[in-house]
Amino acid sequence: MLLTVNVTFGAVLAVLLVVAAAVAAVAHLGRSREIVVAGVRAAAQLAAVSLVIGWVVRSLPLLFAFVLLMYAVAVRTAGRRVTPNGTWWWTAVPIGAGVFPVLAALLLTGLVPLKGIALVPVAGILIGGALTATVLAGRRALDELKQRHGEVEAGLALGLLERDARLEVARTPAADALLPGLDQTRTVGLVTLPGAFVGMLLGGASPVLAGAVQLFVLVALMAVQAVAVAVVLELVARGRLHRA
């Protein structure tokens, strides 16, 4: 067992959460309240999922409903991070375009069995990766367009279409959203030992099998994130996803 869940466990978690919020406050990062809320929410949500997951994995309709719930929460979270206006729902497109084709391919080829014990964690990893990439790419693209609006106007004056002028400004900053996934893949086994690898080892799998599963997760995640970044960049360039 990696951790012992007892009073000490809870106390250490509380201290770490307070430290994170305190550092953010002292450094004037403006995220202290969000850190505390995120920590408390994570505890409540994981407790609820721990109780529900054993029931969900026994029913195929409930299993798919749970995956769709994960997707819906990811869309809402990403949308709120990218823009405060009504166009936030467009984040459903890059997340869905990245996750569902890859997930379907994994199920159809049999690499991931249609069982909750396998589908839920894989879907969660892929949706989480798409969420992160969509938020980073969307925010960076929109921020860059705001700061370099003059360059977009210059491109229009030179005869570029509005979409093309926006892409010239936003493409490189949006592509930075791929860096966390790339760095994680490049340094796996040398700097980090990700959760899938460690979890399989703790579950009794051989190091070779654990490494193969982790490699599969990382490569699938890069595919999902690349699609999500490309799609959200196109939505921003076409003005579908924007700020006031």
Side-chain angles (χ1 to χ4, degrees):
M1 185 178 293
L2 184 62
L3 290 172
T4 301
V5 180
N6 52 23
V7 175
T8 303
F9 172 82
V12 171
L13 276 183
V15 170
L16 289 174
L17 188 60
V18 170
V19 168
V23 170
V26 171
H28 302 289
L29 302 180
R31 301 289 185 183
S32 298
R33 183 178 179 277
E34 289 185 48
I35 289 172
V36 174
V37 171
V40 174
R41 279 188 59 176
Q45 288 164 191
L46 285 173
V49 168
S50 299
L51 296 174
V52 170
I53 198 72
W55 176 54
V56 168
V57 297
R58 298 189 183 97
S59 169
L60 200 57
L62 289 176
L63 176 59
F64 284 124
F66 190 75
V67 172
L68 289 176
L69 175 62
M70 295 163 65
Y71 169 66
V73 173
V75 169
R76 181 57 178 159
T77 302
R80 290 173 58 195
R81 286 295 183 191
V82 173
T83 179
N85 63 35
T87 64
W88 66 266
W89 66 269
W90 278 102
T91 55
V93 179
I95 296 175
V99 171
F100 291 121
V102 172
L103 199 57
L106 297 176
L107 290 171
L108 291 174
T109 56
L111 290 175
V112 174
L114 194 56
K115 297 178 180 179
I117 199 65
L119 181 59
V120 169
V122 171
I125 291 171
L126 298 182
I127 293 172
L131 161 64
T132 301
T134 298
V135 169
L136 292 177
R139 287 176 65 91
R140 291 285 286 117
L142 291 173
D143 288 346
E144 205 72 10
L145 287 174
K146 180 180 179 181
Q147 294 171 8
R148 298 166 60 187
H149 181 68
E151 293 180 41
V152 177
E153 295 293 333
L156 294 175
L158 292 173
L160 292 177
L161 296 175
E162 186 171 3
R163 168 190 174 274
D164 297 333
R166 286 168 170 261
L167 281 176
E168 288 298 319
V169 170
R171 181 182 286 112
T172 300
D176 286 348
L178 297 174
L179 292 179
L182 287 172
D183 289 342
Q184 183 183 26
T185 305
R186 285 172 177 166
T187 60
V188 65
L190 299 176
V191 177
T192 61
L193 293 175
F197 181 82
V198 175
M200 290 201 65
L201 286 181
L202 292 175
S206 70
V208 173
L209 180 58
V213 171
Q214 185 60 67
L215 177 62
F216 151 76
V217 169
L218 289 173
V219 173
L221 198 52
M222 284 196 297
V224 167
Q225 291 180 326
V227 172
V229 170
V231 173
V232 77
L233 178 60
E234 188 68 28
L235 290 173
V236 170
R238 291 178 180 272
R240 299 290 188 272
L241 189 60
H242 61 78
R243 292 176 184 154

